Every structure is written in structure tokens, then in C-alpha cells.
Amino acid sequence: MIFLHVLHLLPLLSTFSLILSVAPAEVTVLDLNEDTASARYLGHVPIEKILGSVTACGRVFIKSFKGRDPFMQLRLSTYHSSDRFRIELWVDKVRPVMANTWRFLMPQEHLKPNRWYHVCVTYEAAGPQSKYELYLDGTAVATLWFEVIWPVNGDGFFVGRSDSDAKSMDAFITQVNMWDYVLDPDDILSIANCSSDLQGNYVSWNNGFELTNMTSSTKNLESLCQQTVGVTYMWFPYVSDKEAFYLCDALGTHLPLPADHGECFEIHRVSREAWSSNEYFFGFITPLSDDIQEGKFYRNFDRQVVPYSKLLWTHDEPNGDVYENCILMSEFGYYDTECMGIHCATCKFEEQKVFTLRGTCERELRNTYFFAQQTDGVGSLWFKGYGRYQIQKQKSWVWLDGTTPIATMDQADFNYPMGRRTWTLTGQVSICGQKSGKRQISLSVCKELEFTCDNALCVALAKRCDLKYDCQDQSDEKDCNLISFPVGYRSDLPPTVSSGFATEVSMALTISALGVDTSKTQLYATYLMQLWWQDDRLSYRNMKASNSLNLVPPELMHQIWTPVVGFVNTERNEHTTVDEESSMVVIRKTVMQEWNTSSSVEEELYPGRGNDLHLSRKYTTLFVCDFDLNLYPFDVQRCAIELQLMAASSGQLVFQRQQVTADYTGPNYLMEYEVGALNLNFSYGSESGAYREVMIQVTLGRRSGYAILTIYIPSLILLIICYVTLFFRPEIFEVRVMSALTSLLVVATLFTQASSSLPKTSYFKMVDIWLLFCIGVIFLIIIFHALVDASLNHSETSNAWVPATARRIIYRTAAKWLPEKPARRKDNWKASWRNYVFGASTASNSAASPGDVPAISVNIAQHDNKLRRRQFNDDEIHKNEANEAFNHLDEDLKPDVIHNLHRDSIDVDIANLVAARLNKEKDDTRNMSKAKKFNSKHKSLDDQFLPHVEAVLTKKNKKSDAVEKDNGGSTNKRADRLILCSKIVILVLVIIFNFAYWGYILT
């Protein structure tokens, strides 16, 4: 039914006039209770007027939200659905529309039903940008700047629904006015607090509206500003102390704890008004008990101790000792009682609490916000939603859409819907396309940044899953699943399947320990490898600011795609693994994207893109290196740690070069090396474009102190010792040679040891060159010693044949007089000796006569050169044989031998030798009779022969000394020159080598 209702409460005023007067006692209020309700302004709206600035205000009482509630709008009829100016109200926002430009203004506090709001929106064109401001109850709560392109004008103004809206508001509306300028904030505040009733110069509330499907009434203006503020109570009879604790805490408040006796009296006074009988008046349950420790009274909601002096005890209380631990409140104070009894409870509210229904997947706040009411009597409780939903107690608790049941609650402790409960969807009303069945749904007063415990208590959301219990029922540490997987997620596919771009992997390698085995050319590294990447397919729940709390449990790590990094230069082709030693956290970098409305648990959802998955694990790996030992032990090695992305090809997986780092935190000085800088090089794999690689080069400078101490210094000392042997006396050839040979052996041993501790290479190392040089120099010194000794012995070898020749002559001469006797074993030596001296042809001849001695001398002379050349090495053996042969001569032949030697002018040395031999025999003769016989027999020979021998010997010695002096002097000079030359050559050679050797190393 359409009817007209024209307001004629005040005379018509000019459209552009401003009326400032005392607020009237009553104002007209429109009741929009139908979906088709609307009100069209009856005053004149000039279409020709272009609004450069606007102020639009109105007072509204929202009974229930319908989602997009049109409050007021200015329309241009010549354009279909052309909203030139419009204000829409939502639970959490206000949307102003200017010339079809739609924006949102977000107040900090949400709008609530069942209370009056004064809403004002101002618009001012300021250059290319326009300024919007939102005022709620006279206070500016939001500001917005944006550009308006089209002109703002219209020919019709509506309150509530227009012809283009599907539904109208469910609200009371009054005092809707519009100005073509920005109203002063003080004027807005005066209208909001009912101090004035200013009328608009563009649209005036008093000009009247044409009403459709709505009613109007008049109300006192001041009553609109008197919001329901104050203390309210809810009453629950016949409950236990634990149920009372639960009820008040779950309703967002606590059991009252009066501070004085007046408050106790007031609570009982209000209860008498609420109840018709006096059966519940005697005492109410308080939040106090001393069940933890006798005599200390704790508040149940925060476990804090209340001082005994602040408790309002009645006379002779408490008197229950350990048997009465609960405290009741009478009209006159506190008294203790047993905790097992049934009593009355009242919950005290300072303000109306808003309940949130979670786990329904509803996205509109009007369908998730409820407030508790107790209008059907004492003990009754039901929940009215901001929209059409409500929760009532029938046979069981029922969630209703109007009158249609959506779900019913299963039986629970205390049997109230507050907290996290199990509901059964009926399927009669479609909720996000869900099928009928059981579902976890929570109802609590907890706000966005709070977590609802199973018992409906609230704790800070940041305390959920923080590895410690904060809820009394310990439910805050349950179901701490950080990662939400989409349907069809596969852990074997990289994230590029959804984004279309290559996934960038960042890496940080922190090396804590290094070890080098030079003989095997291997590098031992202990390091922490950290990989992080983004997976836009995932979403994360309730991430904490502290990354250590965003830990991914081990059972989920294996379900997530992770990059596999291969260690290329290892013997067994090792790679990264995800196991119990791995740790994965999510690094929060973005703000919350949305709330998970499908979960009964408060869950902030964070997107996968923008937040990093961080995988870390410690490894100990043996890397094979390529060492260049040319400069050993003064070399610098560069061993590479080659890492390769193996999880996907280079088109799908790449290193983020700016975020790949390598650091060494261990000691810089190792046993054999000094660790230098780490260098990064990026490349493709062995196959062109196959896999991305990064090579971390570790610079290792060898610490040469050990080699210097064990190789260079000992070898240098040995070389100096060998060089010093050139300064020894030339005559001690054995000492010189033995010192040089010993040094040569030690240096050779050093060379063997040094080679055994290094890899076998086909090229020479610097230490090899040094030791080989030392060996060569020592060998050269030994050669010089041999040359010097040969030079010194040149003159001696020219006369060295004389004693041997003399002996041989004596022995040959004596052999002539050897008698031919029958062969006896002991005389076999004679034949052998004869054969040795004269050969087999003369051994069988008869004994020679003394007349043959000259012939023998001639024969001896012919063999002189041969004897000089032979120089028997076994001289001592020949000497012993000759002495034994001489001893076997017959005594009567010995004088004849000597006589013949003297007669033939045998060399004085020979005579001297024979005389010395005879004298020795005379001295050694022990048989006195034989001695006497010998002396008497040869006395004439001695008298004749010995003086002559002495004279000849003297002459010969003088001649020999002169010859030896001439020959020896020239030989010593030659040896000295050779020694000096060897010293200079060795020294110059060592100096030149060292200049070249160390110069090459330094450069």
C-alpha cells in the first residue's frame, strides 16, 4: 500500500536558508520495517545546481543489518541508475558515492544494531583531489581523498531504498539534511548531541517525504541522544560454582565482586525486581575460592590473590576451615560455603557484549555478529544476530535463519553454546554450499586479535601456539597447523605451475669448520645451509612476529615442495635432504590478508606470495678439489663448493643472486692453511641450460712454516755442512767424504718424506726443486772431494810401487834358492808361490845357481813397468806370503840372497828392507843357540854388507827426498787450486739458485 505523508511541522523555508534555533521537543521518526520501504523527498531539488561541496547528515537506529543498507541518496532521473550522491551503511564501513565514484570509509569501531547513530559525510572539492570525511556521533572517524570526474547534481532525493535498490534498511531514521557546503565540525557536533536541529539548505528534513511501505512517529529529540549506558545483569538460578564461573566468563564478564556493602545491597535489590519470589535472594556465587591454598582467596578468572582485608566478611566468617572453600555474597557481605552445592549466580555487564560466530564460512559480519539477551525471564538466554540469524534454546540449542533451523548443537559441558562446540548442519539453509553434517563452531566475545579457548575464555591471539599453555583448558596449543594446503597440491611440482614464472631460491651458507687433506686433495666442510623461497599455492595461519614460533612440524615438512640442492664435486653425488635434523619456519613479511571464516578457531590467513619458507639443516660434506701444487709449500689453493639446483630445470628454478651468500665463521688459521675470502660464481650445469649452479670458491693460503722448519732449514743446514767439508784438510779424505755422504742420505730421506705426504704429480713442485738442488750440490761436492784426493795422491802413486817391487824381488830371488823337495801338504804353498812369481814354465826348473841372480835382476827390470801398473789391492796378503816364504828359506841361503842383492846393486830400498828383516829376525830369535850360530855364521856378511847398505840407503834417501819435494810441491798447489775453485763454484751456484728460486716464489 502506497500512501502520502507530508510533514508540515514548520513553515517552509527557503532552500538556501539556514535555520538555527533551539531544538524542538519532538522530531518525526520514519520506521523502515519492510524490504520495499522508501521515502522520497518532497522538497525542490534543483537539477541545475552543481554541488562542489556537500554535507549530508542523518540519525539512524539500525534494527538489523541487511548487508548493503542504503541510508540516503541523490539521484538524476535522466540517467538510469545514476547515483550522484549516496551513503550506504555496513557493519564495518560506510560507503559514500559521489558521481558514480564508489569508495569506502572505514571507522575503527563497527556499527552495532539497537542503538542510535548520528552519521555525517562531508565532501569538498579541493583541486584534482576531493576530500571525504566521516563523522559518527559528532566525531570525525575517517578521511579519504579521491578524484571526482563527473559533476554532482540531481533531481531526486531518497531516504532508505530507491527504485534501483533491491531491499531497504530495517531501521528508524530521522533528521536527514543536506547542505551544499561543508558544515563546521562544531555544528555537526551540536546536531549529534541534540543541542540543535539545523536544517539543510539543499535538503531539509522538515520539508517532508513521500513514504512508501513505512510508518512514521514522533519522538522526543533528547531521548534519541540518551543511549542505554550503565550496568546490566543476567541471572542464572540453580547453578554450581564451576558453571557460574563458566557462564559469566563465557558471556564476556565476571561474577560480581562488590567493593563495599552498598554494592552488595544494590545487587540484591535489583535481583528482587527481576525475580517474583524470594527463593534466590539469600546468596550469590562470587569468583573467590581458597581451594588452592587455605586462607588465600583467588579470583577464578585470573588466579590473582585478593587481600584478606578487602573482603567484606559477615560476622564470624569465614568459619568453614578446609571444608568450605567457596565464597557466597549475601546482602550484608561474604561467607564461605561448600563448593559442591547449587546456588544462584548473576553476571554483571558494564556494556553490551558482541559475540562472534566462527566456523560457518560466512563472510558478512552481519551474519556472524550476535549479542546476548535475557528477555524471557530469569535463567533464559538467547542470542540475536546483527542480521536475520539467532540462536535459541529449544529442546537443544538451535541456530535459526528467521524461523528455519540451520544447525543444532550437540550436548556439551554445562550445555551452553558459548565456546567451541560441535553442531550438526540440517541442510535446510545453504551455508557456503556446505552439506549437512557435523561441524565445529565457536561462539564467543573474543575480538579479532584474541583466541577463543574451548571454554569460551579469551587470550591474546599471539599466545596461541607459542609453546606454552595460556588457556585454562590448554586448548590454545591444539591444532597448531601453520600451513594450509589447497586442494590438489603436489609436493613434487615447483610453485611455478601456478605463477608461470621461475621460482627464485635464496641461499645462505654459513661454514663453521673447514679441514683440508692435501694428500687426497679433499676439503672437509661443516656448514649450515639455509634455503628460502615462496610458494604462492600455500597460505599460512596465525603467523607470529617472532619467526622462531612459525615452526613447521616435521610431518608437514615432507608434504611441502622443497628445492633439492646437489653437491656436485663430491664422490657420491650427495644432495640436501629433509629429515628430522632439518628445521623449517615461515618468515612473515606481509600483513594479514583475511580471516579464515571457515574455521571455528580464530585464524589470520597470510598469502604464500610474499612470505618465505625457510629451510635450514647442518651438513658435513667431503668435497673433491683440484689442487695446483707447483708452488708447494708456498702455494694458494682455491677449492670450490659446487651447488646445483636439482629440483627443476633452469626455466623453473633459479638462484636469487642478490640473496645468495656464503660466510665463514670458523678459525681463520687451520693447521696447514689460512682461510681467505669466499667468492661466488653463478653458472648453468654441465648440460646447456639444464640446472642452475653456484660455485663457492674457498681461498686457502698454505701456512709454509711447517715445511720451512722440517724441510728447508734442515736441508739448508746439511748443505752448509757439506760446503764446510771443503775447508777440511785435504789429507783426511775419508772424513770429508763420509760427512758429505751422510748429508746426502739425510737430504734424500727428507725428499722421500716430503713426496709421500703429497699427491703424486707429473710436474715438479717447488719443494722438489729445492731438495733436488740440495742433492745435486752435495753430489757435486763429493765429486770435488774425489778430484782433490786424486790430485793429492798423484806423486805418491809414482813411488808407491817401490816397496812392493822390492818385496817381489826379494821373494823372487829367494824362490831361486828354494829346494825341490818332495811335495808335502805344508810345502804346497811353495809351488803355488813359485807359479805365481815365475809362471808354470819355470816352476818345474831345478834350483838356480847363484850365478843366475843377474839374470833374475834383468828379468825383474823387464817387469818394472808391469809392476807399476798393477798396484795390488791386496798388498797386505802379499806381504804376509812374502814374509812366510822368507822364513822358510834355509838359514844358509839367507846370507847368499843378501849378498847377491848387494852385489847386483839392487836398489837401496831393497837392501834396506832385507837388512831390516834380518835385524828383526835377530831380535825376535828366542833360541839363543840358534842366534849365536846365526850371528857367528853371518858376522862377516854383516860387517861387509850392512855399512854398504847404510851408505847406499843414505844416498838414496836424499835423492828420494829431493824428488818427492819437487813432485809433492807441484801436487799440493794443484790441489789447493782445485779446492778453491770448488768453493767458489758451489757458492756461486747456491746464490744464483736462491735468487731465482725465491724470486719466482715471491712473484
Side-chain angles (χ1 to χ4, degrees):
M1 175 181 179
I2 300 177
F3 62 92
L4 298 178
H5 182 78
V6 183
L7 300 176
H8 297 291
L9 300 178
L10 294 175
L12 292 177
L13 300 176
S14 173
T15 304
F16 302 100
S17 64
L18 176 64
I19 299 178
L20 181 59
S21 61
V22 179
E26 293 183 348
V27 292
T28 301
V29 177
L30 302 182
D31 183 5
L32 288 72
N33 54 8
E34 298 288 341
D35 290 343
T36 58
S38 66
R40 180 181 178 87
Y41 180 59
L42 294 177
H44 175 64
V45 179
I47 190 174
E48 67 277 0
K49 184 170 182 59
I50 305 300
L51 299 176
S53 299
V54 173
T55 299
C57 297
R59 199 180 301 273
V60 60
F61 181 96
I62 301 177
K63 293 181 285 184
S64 65
F65 287 92
K66 295 183 179 180
R68 176 181 176 180
D69 296 325
F71 184 23
M72 63 180 74
Q73 50 192 309
L74 175 66
R75 294 184 58 81
L76 187 61
S77 60
T78 55
Y79 293 92
H80 180 68
S81 299
S82 179
D83 292 310
R84 316 310 290 176
F85 179 81
R86 180 185 178 95
I87 297 177
E88 295 179 351
L89 301 181
W90 307 59
V91 174
D92 57 337
K93 51 188 172 286
V94 175
R95 179 157 68 177
V97 181
M98 185 67 68
N100 287 333
T101 303
W102 304 68
R103 294 292 185 273
F104 283 108
L105 291 168
M106 311 294 293
Q108 292 183 352
E109 294 186 3
H110 294 174
L111 300 180
K112 297 179 180 180
N114 300 334
R115 61 153 294 178
W116 284 99
Y117 286 99
H118 186 265
V119 181
C120 268
V121 174
T122 64
Y123 159 74
E124 180 179 11
Q129 295 291 322
S130 300
K131 179 182 179 181
Y132 278 88
E133 277 194 292
L134 172 64
Y135 292 81
L136 288 179
D137 295 333
T139 303
V141 295
T143 302
L144 182 66
W145 293 83
F146 64 91
E147 182 180 2
V148 177
I149 301 177
W150 303 100
V152 180
N153 64 333
D155 56 3
F157 187 84
F158 295 85
V159 171
R161 171 184 176 275
S162 67
D163 54 1
S164 63
D165 295 314
K167 294 182 179 180
S168 181
M169 295 182 68
D170 185 9
F172 296 108
I173 297 177
T174 186
Q175 291 182 289
V176 176
N177 293 279
M178 188 172 181
W179 294 264
D180 60 358
Y181 60 91
V182 176
L183 204 61
D184 189 78
D186 292 337
D187 294 334
I188 296 175
L189 180 60
S190 66
I191 299 174
N193 58 24
C194 301
S195 298
S196 65
D197 186 17
L198 298 179
Q199 297 298 306
N201 67 345
Y202 191 78
V203 172
S204 174
W205 179 253
N206 290 338
N207 285 345
F209 287 79
E210 179 183 350
L211 305 182
T212 304
N213 295 337
M214 70 172 64
T215 59
S216 64
S217 61
T218 58
K219 289 188 178 181
N220 186 280
L221 180 60
E222 293 184 356
S223 66
L224 304 181
C225 295
Q226 295 176 356
Q227 303 292 344
T228 303
V229 178
V231 177
T232 59
Y233 296 91
M234 287 188 179
W235 316 93
F236 300 96
Y238 303 114
V239 294
S240 65
D241 61 316
K242 291 184 178 180
E243 186 174 358
F245 296 159
Y246 161 75
L247 278 171
C248 291
D249 292 342
L251 291 173
T253 184
H254 307 296
L255 292 167
L257 190 63
D260 52 42
H261 289 86
E263 190 174 352
C264 292
F265 181 80
E266 178 64 18
I267 291 175
H268 281 74
R269 184 192 66 79
V270 176
S271 69
R272 291 189 186 98
E273 295 178 357
W275 289 333
S276 58
S277 63
N278 294 332
E279 55 180 327
Y280 308 125
F281 292 168
F282 182 70
F284 293 96
I285 301 174
T286 67
L288 299 175
S289 67
D290 64 345
D291 55 348
I292 299 178
Q293 183 177 355
E294 179 65 25
K296 286 190 176 182
F297 296 91
Y298 296 84
R299 295 183 304 204
N300 76 292
F301 51 87
D302 58 3
R303 315 308 292 175
Q304 296 296 317
V305 178
V306 179
Y308 187 85
S309 59
K310 293 186 178 182
L311 298 178
L312 307 175
W313 296 108
T314 58
H315 178 67
D316 196 30
E317 293 291 345
N319 55 16
D321 200 22
V322 297
Y323 306 104
E324 296 180 347
N325 294 321
C326 287
I327 308 301
L328 297 182
M329 175 188 62
S330 69
E331 190 173 359
F332 307 102
Y334 298 157
Y335 63 94
D336 58 349
T337 185
E338 294 182 2
C339 294
M340 301 300 294
I342 301 298
H343 305 283
C344 300
T346 180
C347 300
K348 180 181 178 180
F349 297 89
E350 299 291 342
E351 61 179 358
Q352 188 182 49
K353 299 296 182 178
V354 178
F355 291 79
T356 303
L357 190 68
R358 297 182 177 90
T360 64
C361 79
E362 286 279 4
R363 293 187 175 273
E364 292 191 48
L365 296 180
R366 65 186 182 92
N367 292 330
T368 60
Y369 284 173
F370 293 78
F371 52 89
Q373 291 185 338
Q374 198 175 40
T375 58
D376 297 335
V378 174
S380 64
L381 184 68
W382 68 289
F383 298 87
K384 184 180 183 307
Y386 278 24
R388 290 171 50 86
Y389 294 164
Q390 55 183 324
I391 299 174
Q392 295 180 354
K393 177 66 179 297
Q394 297 176 358
K395 292 182 180 180
S396 60
W397 286 93
V398 183
W399 174 22
L400 301 171
D401 181 6
T403 59
T404 305
I406 301 174
T408 58
M409 192 187 82
D410 294 356
Q411 188 70 25
D413 293 340
F414 308 129
N415 201 30
Y416 284 93
M418 295 87 73
R420 192 167 291 106
R421 301 288 187 255
T422 301
W423 294 73
T424 302
L425 298 178
T426 63
Q428 299 182 33
V429 178
S430 176
I431 303 295
C432 307
Q434 300 178 73
K435 298 180 180 180
S436 60
K438 294 186 180 298
R439 188 177 185 86
Q440 287 284 329
I441 297 176
S442 67
L443 181 67
S444 71
V445 297
C446 300
K447 299 179 181 179
E448 285 187 352
L449 298 180
E450 292 180 328
F451 172 75
T452 301
C453 304
D454 287 351
N455 59 2
L457 293 181
C458 302
V459 298
L461 185 60
K463 294 183 178 180
R464 191 202 173 202
C465 299
D466 61 349
L467 306 181
K468 61 180 181 179
Y469 294 118
D470 297 289
C471 291
Q472 294 181 4
D473 57 4
Q474 301 180 354
S475 58
D476 58 313
E477 296 299 320
K478 295 192 309 182
D479 301 327
C480 295
N481 294 329
L482 181 66
I483 300 178
S484 177
F485 294 92
V487 178
Y489 181 86
R490 291 179 57 181
S491 60
D492 59 331
L493 296 180
T496 53
V497 297
S498 60
S499 63
F501 298 96
T503 300
E504 295 181 342
V505 177
S506 303
M507 182 182 67
L509 201 70
T510 304
I511 304 174
S512 58
L514 285 175
V516 183
D517 188 346
T518 305
S519 62
K520 298 180 180 179
T521 65
Q522 293 175 340
L523 175 70
Y524 300 87
T526 299
Y527 52 92
L528 176 67
M529 176 177 285
Q530 303 177 69
L531 301 170
W532 61 94
W533 68 97
Q534 295 178 7
D535 194 335
D536 56 355
R537 299 172 295 175
L538 303 176
S539 59
Y540 308 111
R541 303 188 183 106
N542 299 325
M543 286 201 294
K544 307 295 188 298
S546 175
N547 295 327
S548 60
L549 296 177
N550 298 329
L551 187 65
V552 180
E555 59 271 14
L556 289 183
M557 284 195 297
H558 297 283
Q559 302 177 23
I560 301 173
W561 177 89
T562 56
V564 178
V565 178
F567 309 139
V568 178
N569 56 327
T570 56
E571 294 181 349
R572 295 180 295 177
N573 294 325
E574 302 176 33
H575 56 79
T576 57
T577 58
V578 179
D579 52 17
E580 63 276 1
E581 297 182 9
S582 303
S583 175
M584 182 181 290
V585 297
V586 182
I587 308 298
R588 191 178 79 178
K589 292 184 176 181
T590 64
V591 298
M592 181 193 69
Q593 185 180 38
E594 61 179 342
W595 289 94
N596 185 8
T597 58
S598 62
S599 174
S600 63
V601 179
E602 290 84 349
E603 291 183 347
E604 296 176 310
L605 292 182
Y606 294 81
R609 180 171 296 278
N611 298 290
D612 294 337
L613 279 166
H614 192 283
L615 177 65
S616 60
R617 190 185 187 277
K618 199 167 187 178
Y619 295 89
T620 298
T621 310
L622 175 62
F623 295 95
V624 179
C625 304
D626 184 13
F627 283 176
D628 183 5
L629 299 173
N630 277 296
L631 294 178
Y632 177 87
F634 307 99
D635 53 331
V636 176
Q637 303 298 335
R638 290 173 175 82
C639 185
I641 299 176
E642 298 182 38
L643 306 176
Q644 184 182 79
L645 283 175
M646 302 173 60
S649 64
S650 59
Q652 296 177 306
L653 206 59
V654 296
F655 278 115
Q656 175 65 3
R657 298 195 176 193
Q658 291 75 17
Q659 295 184 6
V660 175
T661 60
D663 298 307
Y664 176 68
T665 60
N668 289 330
Y669 292 96
L670 307 179
M671 294 183 64
E672 192 176 356
Y673 291 91
E674 178 183 358
V675 182
L678 304 181
N679 300 318
L680 300 178
N681 295 315
F682 296 89
S683 64
Y684 292 98
S686 57
E687 298 180 6
S688 178
Y691 299 105
R692 293 298 178 105
E693 288 186 1
V694 58
M695 182 183 297
I696 303 172
Q697 280 194 343
V698 182
T699 303
L700 300 170
R702 193 181 302 276
R703 302 175 66 185
S704 56
Y706 177 78
I708 292 175
L709 290 175
T710 59
I711 298 177
Y712 283 86
I713 292 179
S715 60
L716 181 61
I717 292 174
L718 293 172
L719 190 63
I720 294 174
I721 291 174
C722 288
Y723 184 73
V724 169
T725 59
L726 295 174
F727 294 88
F728 289 4
R729 289 183 296 119
E731 293 79 6
I732 53 176
F733 172 74
E734 291 82 0
V735 176
R736 290 183 284 124
V737 171
M738 289 304 297
S739 299
L741 286 175
T742 303
S743 301
L744 181 63
L745 291 175
V746 175
V747 173
T749 303
L750 288 176
F751 180 76
T752 303
Q753 292 178 351
S755 300
S756 63
S757 62
L758 295 174
K760 295 179 175 59
T761 59
S762 59
Y763 52 84
F764 286 103
K765 299 176 282 292
M766 294 305 294
V767 68
D768 298 338
I769 296 174
W770 172 266
L771 292 175
L772 289 175
F773 171 76
C774 292
I775 292 174
V777 169
I778 294 174
F779 177 75
L780 188 60
I781 290 175
I782 293 174
I783 296 299
F784 278 125
H785 283 319
L787 294 176
V788 170
D789 186 71
S791 176
L792 288 174
N793 293 332
H794 179 68
S795 60
E796 296 179 3
T797 53
S798 62
N799 296 324
W801 63 275
V802 176
T805 304
R807 287 192 297 272
R808 297 180 73 84
I809 294 172
I810 293 172
Y811 304 154
R812 291 182 181 183
T813 304
K816 291 293 184 180
W817 282 270
L818 290 176
E820 293 292 338
K821 297 179 179 180
R824 292 181 298 176
R825 177 174 298 178
K826 65 178 182 178
D827 293 333
N828 287 342
W829 63 271
K830 295 179 181 179
S832 300
W833 186 63
R834 183 185 297 274
N835 293 335
Y836 174 75
V837 176
F838 299 103
S841 60
T842 59
S844 60
N845 295 337
S846 60
S849 62
D852 296 331
V853 173
I856 296 173
S857 299
V858 174
N859 190 25
I860 291 174
Q862 294 176 356
H863 291 279
D864 285 346
N865 294 329
K866 183 177 180 181
L867 292 173
R868 288 193 185 98
R869 291 192 299 268
R870 293 184 65 173
Q871 293 292 308
F872 292 101
N873 294 327
D874 50 355
D875 186 62
E876 190 66 28
I877 298 175
H878 296 163
K879 179 180 178 181
N880 293 334
E881 292 178 353
N883 288 336
E884 190 172 0
F886 190 81
N887 290 333
H888 283 80
L889 291 175
D890 293 334
E891 296 295 333
D892 54 348
L893 294 179
K894 293 180 179 179
D896 295 334
V897 171
I898 297 174
H899 175 74
N900 291 330
L901 292 173
H902 180 70
R903 186 193 64 188
D904 293 336
S905 301
I906 299 302
D907 197 305
V908 178
D909 293 333
I910 301 175
N912 189 19
L913 178 62
V914 174
R917 176 62 180 158
L918 292 176
N919 290 333
K920 184 176 185 302
E921 285 189 359
K922 289 190 297 180
D923 294 338
D924 293 340
T925 304
R926 297 181 182 180
N927 191 344
M928 297 301 297
S929 59
K930 185 176 180 179
K932 291 179 180 180
K933 181 180 179 180
F934 180 81
N935 290 333
S936 61
K937 185 177 182 178
H938 297 286
K939 186 176 184 299
S940 58
L941 179 63
D942 291 339
D943 293 338
Q944 298 177 8
F945 176 68
L946 290 178
H948 179 72
V949 170
E950 292 177 359
V952 174
L953 183 60
T954 301
K955 180 179 179 180
K956 181 66 177 176
N957 287 341
K958 290 181 180 180
K959 182 177 179 181
S960 299
D961 290 341
V963 173
E964 183 178 357
K965 182 177 181 181
D966 294 339
N967 296 334
S970 61
T971 303
N972 289 337
K973 290 180 181 179
R974 187 164 57 253
D976 292 340
R977 288 195 299 270
L978 185 60
I979 292 173
L980 179 61
C981 179
S982 64
K983 293 177 182 177
I984 295 174
V985 170
I986 297 300
L987 183 61
V988 171
L989 185 62
V990 170
I991 292 175
I992 293 175
F993 173 79
N994 277 274
F995 269 107
Y997 185 86
W998 298 109
Y1000 179 78
I1001 290 175
L1002 294 177
T1003 56

